[in-house]
Amino acid sequence: MLISDTPAWKALSEHAQQIRGTHLRELLQDEARCAGLRWEVDGVLLDGSRQNATRQTVDLLVDLARDAGLTRKIKAMANGEKINGTENRAVLHMALRAPRRKSILVDGHDVVPDVHAVLERIKAFSKAVRGGQWKGATGKKLTQIVSIGIGGSYLGPEFVFEAMRTDPGCAKAAKRRTLRFLANVDPIDVTRALADLDPERTLVIVVSKTFTTAETMLNARTVRKWISDALGTEAVAKHMIAVSTNLEAVREFGIDPANAFGFWDWVGGRYSVCSAVGVLPLALHFGYKPVQEFLNGAHAMDRHFLAAPPERNIPALLGLFGVWQSSFLGRPSRALLPYCQSLLKLAPHIQQVDMESNGKRVTADGQVLPFEAGEVDFGEPGTNGQHSFYQLIHQGRVVPCDFIGFRRSQTPVALPGEPVDNHDELMSNFFAQPDALAYGKSEAELQKEGVAPALVPHKVFAGNRPSNVLLLDQLTPYSTGQLLALYEHRTAVQGFVWGVNSFDQWGVELGKVLAKAVRGQLQKSRSANAAVSGFNPATTFLLRSYLGQA
Ligand code: F6P
């Protein structure tokens, strides 16, 4: 049965009519309601009081979760059932941070020892590279890491790298070391990634689940040439390693599979940051210990996600509020607004996690959805976002926002004579914005303030704009892991409720196929001056213009 045909969906549709008649200005006066929409687990505080919701909304969303079989679906995922039906795969990113004592079976095989075997190898390898026992071809220590990969083989690791790099312990551990990411096939990206690097000191990781992704493989060949031009072909063995599930392709590329770190088909690309995809580059740069803390944080959130009932389950509640806003109140976008510069890559990462997962047109068993699934995610760290797109979220479209803030900065700064320190200045904005969105400003208030009548309509804020507030103590490797898992699970919950398969991505294929035809044309035109043919008139015109053909 489609979720939109269930009694809970119908009840929520009716309830939405009621909620449309309320305003957050009034709802926020109700102390009991505010207290009832607040949850805290392991230092992560979720304040949902600025949702267009009451306790009754939460109860109805929990009914929806029950009708969607949410708890059963979460268990099926955790137990290694092949819930990714179109690829016949289990979905076990939680196994990547599971403790040794756990046992998770896929086809009767316990995958947890395999996970720990790879982690042990990474621990030993990163120690050897950082300690200088593993040297480059000319005997120099390898202190510069370039991680080549795209999509899930890039976005998660970069998000975590940025989150950790100004943590004081991590910064100390990474002193005089460099970690760069190379993702885009645009030659500008490779130029930037290699700028000022010394091949003698550089270790390159080619990260690709399939080891066939066109962008990654061309970048890998480009960097392989950079190394062999500088140090000779033999040097590649000491300067290039891989992370992949396709060890055969790794060998064919010329990387010794002994220098490859595996993962498994039950790890989706966008859910792979806790595998060697993220753990290897991060451990080489920061050392293994903080990366273990990051895994611990993600595991702690997994434990909560698996144990807590939906009404007290923070990732489930975030997911249910997402469904509420998009499916019932008609708000398909979501802004991720971390008031923490180190989370500058959270939104780009969650864009892939969420949009590649839930941007689907059919249910997991192939029925066309009678509603739109998925959300449009975007974001920027505060206060930069305030000076960019907040105009729209205050007075234009209604965009539910997630505000994420911390009690303490990773790097506090206080100037004598300033009214507050720099972190308090940042957080003044963090606490003000959700209320500005919720309350708005009425015509009457503006008139009372003596605003010129002609300006009044321009200065009105309708308010009633929803947000979640997440408040944590400090951004550390551990809380980075918590946030990562929180958002991974939020996406899974929404997908489970909508009934889609959040773990395949057929929608990325068509463009790749068409690019192949264009590539063939460009090759023929460049090498044999072949005329553009076989494309529609619009594309033919563009290709001719690009190639300079009359
Ligand atoms: O864009 C499609 C995709 O398959 C993503 O799902 C994946 O994260 C990315 O390409 C990279 O894939 P790979 O790790 O196989 O190179």
Side-chain angles (χ1 to χ4, degrees), residues 150-153 207-211 213 216 269-270 352 356 505 508 512:
I150 196 162
S153 295
V207 185
S208 175
K209 183 174 172 181
T210 55
F211 230 71
T213 302
T216 299
R270 53 193 175 274
Q352 190 202 10
E356 197 166 82
Q505 56 284 315
V508 303
K512 290 186 194 171

Side-chain angles (χ1 to χ4, degrees), residues 155 158 336 343-353 378-379:
L155 291 161
E158 189 183 46
L336 292 167
L343 292 179
L344 82 163
K345 293 293 178 182
L346 175 71
H349 176 49
I350 299 310
Q351 277 171 357
Q352 190 202 10
V353 167
F378 69 100

Side-chain angles (χ1 to χ4, degrees), residues 268-527:
R270 53 193 175 274
Y271 297 94
S272 65
V273 58
C274 294
S275 73
V277 167
V279 173
L280 179 62
L282 294 166
L284 283 163
H285 187 69
F286 295 118
Y288 190 79
K289 199 170 159 263
V291 184
Q292 182 62 60
E293 285 163 23
F294 159 71
L295 295 176
N296 293 347
H299 175 65
M301 186 56 76
D302 293 345
R303 279 206 319 263
H304 163 69
F305 181 55
L306 294 176
E311 61 273 21
R312 287 201 301 278
N313 190 315
I314 290 186
L317 287 159
L318 276 186
L320 292 169
F321 284 143
V323 171
W324 170 237
Q325 288 293 345
S326 63
S327 294
F328 296 95
L329 300 178
R331 291 145 181 184
S333 324
R334 174 169 34 126
L336 292 167
L337 307 170
Y339 278 63
C340 177
Q341 188 61 21
S342 303
L343 292 179
L344 82 163
K345 293 293 178 182
L346 175 71
H349 176 49
I350 299 310
Q351 277 171 357
Q352 190 202 10
V353 167
D354 198 62
M355 292 165 83
E356 197 166 82
S357 295
N358 289 341
K360 303 287 162 69
R361 62 178 284 276
V362 295
T363 62
D365 52 13
Q367 287 186 71
V368 176
L369 291 167
F371 54 84
E372 283 186 298
E375 287 177 353
V376 181
D377 299 276
F378 69 100
E380 274 293 325
T383 56
N384 300 15
Q386 289 175 203
H387 294 273
S388 166
F389 50 80
Y390 277 37
Q391 166 65 43
L392 180 140
I393 65 176
H394 279 289
Q395 287 188 314
R397 295 176 185 276
V398 178
V399 179
C401 300
D402 282 4
F403 289 90
I404 304 166
F406 298 89
R407 290 188 191 94
R408 287 181 292 132
S409 173
Q410 281 182 333
T411 61
V413 173
L415 296 189
E418 292 288 336
V420 292
D421 71 21
N422 298 28
H423 185 68
D424 279 352
E425 177 63 27
L426 168 77
M427 293 303 282
S428 305
N429 290 279
F430 172 83
F431 292 111
Q433 290 290 339
D435 276 347
L437 286 166
Y439 279 77
K441 194 154 194 179
S442 69
E443 225 174 279
E445 284 171 299
L446 290 162
Q447 279 157 356
K448 214 164 144 196
E449 283 175 15
V451 171
L455 277 182
V456 168
H458 300 279
K459 292 194 160 190
V460 166
F461 293 70
N464 204 26
R465 290 166 182 244
S467 60
N468 292 310
V469 175
L470 285 162
L471 184 63
L472 292 86
D473 211 33
Q474 189 173 1
L475 187 65
T476 59
Y478 183 88
S479 56
T480 302
Q482 289 177 299
L483 280 174
L484 172 91
L486 177 63
Y487 276 97
E488 286 178 343
H489 298 328
R490 176 201 202 277
T491 288
V493 166
Q494 290 193 200
F496 287 149
V497 171
W498 282 321
V500 301
N501 178 354
S502 302
F503 307 104
D504 61 9
Q505 56 284 315
W506 299 104
V508 303
E509 295 304 323
L510 181 58
K512 290 186 194 171
V513 174
L514 297 192
K516 217 171 177 177
V518 178
R519 187 182 302 120
Q521 178 68 57
L522 294 180
Q523 187 181 13
K524 277 190 287 172
S525 297
R526 296 285 191 207
S527 60

Side-chain angles (χ1 to χ4, degrees), residues 161-355:
F161 165 67
E162 288 292 347
M164 286 168 63
R165 81 185 171 93
T166 33
D167 170 85
C170 291
K172 199 166 159 211
K175 215 165 174 192
R176 285 187 282 279
R177 294 177 188 275
T178 311
L179 171 58
R180 297 215 186 136
F181 294 91
L182 169 56
N184 199 330
V185 75
D186 183 339
I188 295 168
D189 207 14
V190 70
T191 305
R192 290 178 179 206
L194 299 180
D196 309 322
L197 293 189
D198 173 3
E200 288 184 82
R201 297 179 188 280
T202 303
L203 179 64
V204 179
I205 317 172
V206 184
V207 185
S208 175
K209 183 174 172 181
T210 55
F211 230 71
T212 58
T213 302
E215 294 88 340
T216 299
M217 297 325 296
L218 181 56
N219 275 332
R221 291 192 292 275
T222 309
V223 176
R224 183 177 61 190
K225 185 167 182 308
W226 177 76
I227 289 173
S228 46
D229 284 356
L231 308 173
T233 324
E234 299 294 295
V236 170
K238 279 283 170 198
H239 291 262
M240 286 188 93
I241 60 175
V243 175
S244 186
T245 58
N246 185 353
L247 297 181
E248 202 35 59
V250 169
R251 183 198 308 276
E252 273 167 33
F253 179 85
I255 293 175
D256 185 349
N259 300 332
F261 296 81
F263 63 116
W264 308 271
D265 75 353
W266 43 261
V267 184
R270 53 193 175 274
Y271 297 94
S272 65
V273 58
C274 294
S275 73
V277 167
V279 173
L280 179 62
L282 294 166
L284 283 163
H285 187 69
F286 295 118
Y288 190 79
K289 199 170 159 263
V291 184
Q292 182 62 60
E293 285 163 23
F294 159 71
L295 295 176
N296 293 347
H299 175 65
M301 186 56 76
D302 293 345
R303 279 206 319 263
H304 163 69
F305 181 55
L306 294 176
E311 61 273 21
R312 287 201 301 278
N313 190 315
I314 290 186
L317 287 159
L318 276 186
L320 292 169
F321 284 143
V323 171
W324 170 237
Q325 288 293 345
S326 63
S327 294
F328 296 95
L329 300 178
R331 291 145 181 184
S333 324
R334 174 169 34 126
L336 292 167
L337 307 170
Y339 278 63
C340 177
Q341 188 61 21
S342 303
L343 292 179
L344 82 163
K345 293 293 178 182
L346 175 71
H349 176 49
I350 299 310
Q351 277 171 357
Q352 190 202 10
V353 167
D354 198 62
M355 292 165 83

